[in-house]
């Protein structure tokens, strides 16, 4: 089993819709979870971090964490074409000193 | 402005040559990392360093070497032993090396073997 699993996509949603990106992880001691956005040919940038079970909202983005199910998701409300990018999930646990990234989900928002 | 500078942005290498990718940060971060990304793939960790004069192998260190003589600098050498070096290389840093801190990435270096 991979340490971090994401559906590679592409996930296609119409402009204005909600995009739901999912990530499962195998390390039960994972404590922190990060979502990075990467535009084609560019470097990743952090968009959300979440540390506790439940939801965390930041503008149009909501991160949801369920540690019991080892599942973290990212919702993007009112999706815009500028949201078209690859979204990388990266959990971190106390038993490691480095981030392990998922392979990412490619999101396409069409007008 | 604080940030991470990677150079060169594009690099072409002939087979059998060693090349060095530069990574410099002025964020006063302790930890620095090198990742490799292949088309349609996620980021794979090559080497990381949590403190000057110390570094650890990541998941795909074979064929690569690094040094950390200064806090600001973490160059990566792609040696001729790396059989498939064509990739996008990303350097990152964080305040501390415990992973709980956010990674700041450079713009990347794209290496192509001719």
């Amino acid at each position: 089993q991979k340490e971090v699993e994401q559906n590679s996509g592409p996930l296609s949603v119409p402009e204005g819709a909600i995009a739901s990106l999912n990530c499962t992880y195998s390390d039960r001691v994972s404590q922190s979870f990060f979502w990075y956005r990467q535009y084609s040919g560019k470097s990743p940038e952090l968009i959300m971090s979440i540390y506790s079970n439940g939801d965390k909202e930041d503008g149009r983005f909501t991160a949801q964490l369920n540690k019991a199910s080892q599942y973290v998701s990212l919702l993007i409300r009112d999706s815009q074409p500028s949201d078209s990018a690859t979204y990388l999930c990266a959990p971190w646990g106390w038993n490691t000193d480095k981030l392990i990234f998922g392979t990412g989900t490619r999101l396409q928002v069409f007008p | 402005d604080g940030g991470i500078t990677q150079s060169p942005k594009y690099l072409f290498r002939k087979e059998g040559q060693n090349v060095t990718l530069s990574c410099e940060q002025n964020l006063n971060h302790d930890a620095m990392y090198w990742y490799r990304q292949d088309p349609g793939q996620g980021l794979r960790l090559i080497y990381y360093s949590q403190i000057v004069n110390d570094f650890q192998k990541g998941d795909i260190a074979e064929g690569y070497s690094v040094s950390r003589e200064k806090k600001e600098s973490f160059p990566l050498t792609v040696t001729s032993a790396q059989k498939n070096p064509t990739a996008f290389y990303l350097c990152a840093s964080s305040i501390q090396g415990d992973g709980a801190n956010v990674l700041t990435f450079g713009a990347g270096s794209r290496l192509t073997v001719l």
Side-chain angles (χ1 to χ4, degrees):
Chain A
Q1 182 185 6
K2 291 183 180 178
E3 293 183 77
V4 185
E5 296 209 37
Q6 295 182 257
N7 188 322
S8 62
L11 172 66
S12 294
V13 300
E15 185 175 356
I18 296 175
S20 178
L21 307 166
N22 305 316
C23 173
T24 58
Y25 57 94
S26 60
D27 189 348
R28 292 186 174 275
V29 299
S30 292
Q31 298 293 321
S32 309
F33 302 85
F34 303 92
W35 282 99
Y36 285 79
R37 177 177 63 198
Q38 186 177 24
Y39 292 112
S40 180
K42 303 296 184 183
S43 58
E45 56 180 335
L46 181 76
I47 54 171
M48 286 289 285
S49 59
I50 186 167
Y51 307 99
S52 304
N53 279 328
D55 295 357
K56 178 182 177 183
E57 187 174 317
D58 184 1
R60 295 186 297 112
F61 298 97
T62 299
Q64 298 175 319
L65 175 61
N66 184 327
K67 291 186 179 180
S69 299
Q70 295 176 245
Y71 175 90
V72 59
S73 65
L74 179 70
L75 301 178
I76 305 175
R77 291 182 300 282
D78 188 23
S79 295
Q80 301 297 309
S82 59
D83 295 326
S84 298
T86 296
Y87 291 80
L88 303 167
C89 169
W92 174 81
W94 293 109
N95 62 340
T96 183
D97 53 6
K98 56 188 188 291
L99 278 178
I100 301 298
F101 286 86
T103 55
T105 298
R106 187 159 64 96
L107 173 66
Q108 294 177 335
V109 181
F110 55 92
Chain B
D1 289 337
I4 299 179
T5 301
Q6 288 187 241
S7 62
K9 188 172 183 179
Y10 298 97
L11 183 61
F12 298 90
R13 188 193 95 170
K14 293 181 180 179
E15 287 192 18
Q17 284 183 335
N18 292 353
V19 294
T20 297
L21 308 181
S22 170
C23 178
E24 303 278 334
Q25 55 101 355
N26 61 3
L27 300 166
N28 200 33
H29 284 177
D30 286 321
M32 298 187 73
Y33 309 80
W34 274 105
Y35 288 90
R36 167 179 172 147
Q37 188 174 37
D38 295 282
Q41 301 292 315
L43 305 180
R44 292 186 291 168
L45 183 64
I46 305 172
Y47 268 99
Y48 62 106
S49 169
Q50 296 177 308
I51 195 170
V52 174
N53 292 323
D54 188 36
F55 48 83
Q56 289 78 40
K57 292 182 179 180
D59 301 316
I60 55 165
E62 185 175 352
Y64 299 97
S65 66
V66 294
S67 63
R68 186 85 186 277
E69 297 176 1
K70 299 186 300 182
K71 187 176 184 178
E72 303 80 21
S73 179
F74 192 41
L76 174 73
T77 297
V78 185
T79 74
S80 57
Q82 172 48 240
K83 297 306 178 187
N84 186 22
T86 295
F88 187 45
Y89 290 87
L90 287 159
C91 179
S93 70
S94 64
I95 296 174
Q96 296 172 358
D98 62 2
N101 290 288
V102 171
L103 292 184
T104 300
F105 284 89
S109 293
R110 193 168 299 278
L111 172 63
T112 302
V113 172
L114 302 174

